[in-house]
Amino acid sequence: MANIGRFISPAKIKQEAFVDENVDEKKLSNSILTCQQLYTKEILGTALYDQINTQIENATLTSNNNTLLTSYIQPALKYWVLYDVLPLLSLQITNKGVIKKRSENTEQATAEEILMMKEYFKNLAERWDEKTRLYLIENSATFTLYLNPGTGADNIHPKGLTYGTGWFLGNT
């Protein structure tokens, strides 16, 4: 796939999430594309993901895909973006190395506080992913590509569960 359309804009994330207006849109844009590939594609599967991406690129989004996008995919994606970008907001890679931005009037969050926020955003994103998955199952007649993601080693089949836990099998 040559072009990847953004399923959500940095402006929408700033408007609807817990992000200041002065956050660098380049960081958000890069994170959007990463999160779409890592998380959204796993929920939708290759065929449905590619269909929505093509429709966004060509400005031909169908009513059903628009509902899926605005009511389910975007809420999950904005939290995945926050989860992904959070550790990078105060750091910058330069020709001098990795630097940490500081201000005289602010205090840097601790690593523990950042991890707590990441976990919060991850939990929200996973809950929205689960809602998306259930919506697609309920409307599988409308979204036929969800159950038929195609064949081939590089095709991603939709994720059956959106979150899970480890199992402790005892000391074996």
Side-chain angles (χ1 to χ4, degrees), residues 10 17 23 29 36 44 55 57 69 83 90 97 119 122 127 131 134 138 140 144 149 154 160 162 167:
V23 170
S29 289
Q36 279 178 209
L44 301 178
Q55 289 178 3
E57 284 291 313
L69 182 69
Y83 170 79
S90 64
E119 191 64 28
K122 181 181 178 189
R127 290 179 72 190
K131 288 175 97 129
L134 293 174
E138 184 69 29
S140 60
T144 56
D154 62 340
T162 53
W167 287 17

Side-chain angles (χ1 to χ4, degrees), residues 15-170:
Q15 180 184 10
E16 295 183 3
F18 311 97
V19 180
D20 235 15
E21 282 296 318
N22 62 355
V23 170
D24 185 1
E25 288 202 6
K26 181 180 174 187
K27 289 183 180 183
L28 291 176
S29 289
N30 291 337
S31 184
I32 289 168
L33 295 177
T34 299
C35 291
Q36 279 178 209
Q37 289 288 315
L38 294 178
Y39 304 112
T40 306
K41 197 170 194 174
E42 279 194 351
I43 296 300
L44 301 178
T46 298
L48 183 56
Y49 177 91
D50 287 349
Q51 180 188 63
I52 292 171
N53 183 59
T54 300
Q55 289 178 3
I56 289 171
E57 284 291 313
N58 297 328
T60 59
L61 201 60
T62 65
S63 175
N64 289 328
N65 283 346
N66 186 55
T67 298
L68 176 62
L69 182 69
T70 58
S71 298
Y72 296 93
I73 295 170
Q74 286 180 346
L77 191 54
K78 74 181 171 190
Y79 292 119
W80 280 124
V81 169
L82 292 176
Y83 170 79
D84 182 66
V85 80
L86 190 62
L88 305 174
L89 291 178
S90 64
L91 301 174
Q92 186 172 359
I93 300 172
T94 69
N95 61 347
K96 305 279 187 206
V98 179
I99 61 170
K100 182 188 262 188
K101 298 178 189 176
R102 293 192 179 247
S103 171
E104 293 179 21
N105 302 327
T106 62
E107 180 181 332
Q108 292 286 328
T110 65
E112 183 178 297
E113 291 168 328
I114 292 171
L115 287 175
M116 185 175 70
M117 282 184 75
K118 278 184 63 95
E119 191 64 28
Y120 173 75
F121 293 135
K122 181 181 178 189
N123 288 338
L124 286 173
E126 285 176 338
R127 290 179 72 190
W128 275 104
D129 278 351
E130 181 66 9
K131 288 175 97 129
T132 304
R133 187 181 72 79
L134 293 174
Y135 176 77
L136 287 167
I137 290 169
E138 184 69 29
N139 296 284
S140 60
T142 302
F143 299 101
T144 56
L145 292 177
Y146 177 69
L147 297 178
N148 301 301
T151 58
D154 62 340
N155 275 8
I156 295 174
H157 291 260
K159 207 172 171 184
L161 296 173
T162 53
Y163 52 86
T165 60
W167 287 17
F168 177 70
L169 300 176

